[in-house]
Every structure is written in structure tokens, then in C-alpha cells.
Amino acid sequence: MKELIMLMLLLGSVAFAAPAVPGERLFTQPDGSQFRAAMKGDEWFNWVALENGYVALYSHTSKAYEYAVIAPSGAMNTLAPSGVAVPGAGTAASKTPLPPHIKPISPETLRSMAKEHRKAKQQWR
């Protein structure tokens, strides 16, 4: 009986994705520069929302937060690091124009992508 209860608790806990912690926080880049942003999404689909409408992701390649771009991934779109690091607030790099392929991503687009990802994850269960 105990095993059944434990199994039900475990299965129930993986059925829902946990939301990101609300509010802004300070992110530190490998060079020591810092920027403020808010974590958004859940454990299945998440991003860092910058105050200027751009989106950032952590790049495991560069070990830094980079501007995000929309990239096709099979039947749905996903976010991918762009290769351009988010500069620290107040640095000279923060005043440099971004390459044309990096654009703000609307909240509506992000919500739609998150919904697609959640739906795809639920199909795998």
C-alpha cells in the first residue's frame, strides 16, 4: 500500500511543469558584467526576458547568456542562442547596435511557443 501511495505522489508531481521564479534578478556574464532580467516560462520551455523586448538564453557553448533567436525544430519553433552575448548594463557594448537577425520576440509568440512545447511534452507521457 505504501508503494502505491508513493507511486501516485511521484506520478502526480511530474504531471505539472513548475513556473519560473517571478521578478527580476541579476545575471552575471563570464566577463563579470551584469544585467537585470526576468526568468519566464516553466521547466519545459523557458527564457530570460530582457526589459527591451529581447529574449536571452544561456549558451552551453559560450557559457554566457546570449540573445535568443527563433529556430525551427521539427514541426515546431524553439529558441536558440544567437552567438551574440547580452552585454552588461552601462557598458560600451550595451550601446552597440545588434545584428539584423536578432529581433525582439513578442510575449504572444513566446506564449504560443510555450503552449506548443507543453503540448508536445504531454504527448510523450
Side-chain angles (χ1 to χ4, degrees):
M1 183 66 178
K2 282 184 182 179
E3 292 85 10
L4 179 62
I5 291 172
M6 288 301 291
L7 181 63
M8 288 172 44
L9 288 173
L10 287 173
L11 290 176
S13 67
V14 297
F16 302 99
V21 177
E24 281 195 350
R25 67 181 208 107
L26 198 59
F27 291 83
T28 304
Q29 295 286 48
D31 66 0
S33 64
Q34 297 179 320
F35 65 93
R36 288 201 161 280
M39 292 291 301
K40 299 288 184 175
D42 58 31
E43 64 191 88
W44 305 119
F45 186 77
N46 52 71
W47 64 94
V48 177
L50 303 170
E51 61 186 23
N52 57 4
Y54 288 89
V55 172
L57 287 179
Y58 181 77
S59 168
H60 294 283
T61 304
S62 68
K63 308 287 189 241
Y65 287 91
E66 298 178 359
Y67 287 101
V69 293
I70 297 175
S73 176
M76 65 182 154
N77 289 329
T78 191
L79 296 175
S82 66
V84 178
V86 176
T91 63
S94 67
K95 295 165 182 50
T96 304
L98 292 170
H101 72 284
I102 300 173
K103 299 177 180 8
I105 302 172
S106 73
E108 295 80 22
T109 299
L110 291 164
R111 278 193 294 273
S112 174
M113 291 170 70
K115 186 177 177 180
E116 285 180 34
H117 281 259
R118 266 187 241 106
K119 185 177 177 182
K121 293 292 181 184
Q122 289 172 350
Q123 290 174 352
W124 284 99
R125 289 189 205 151

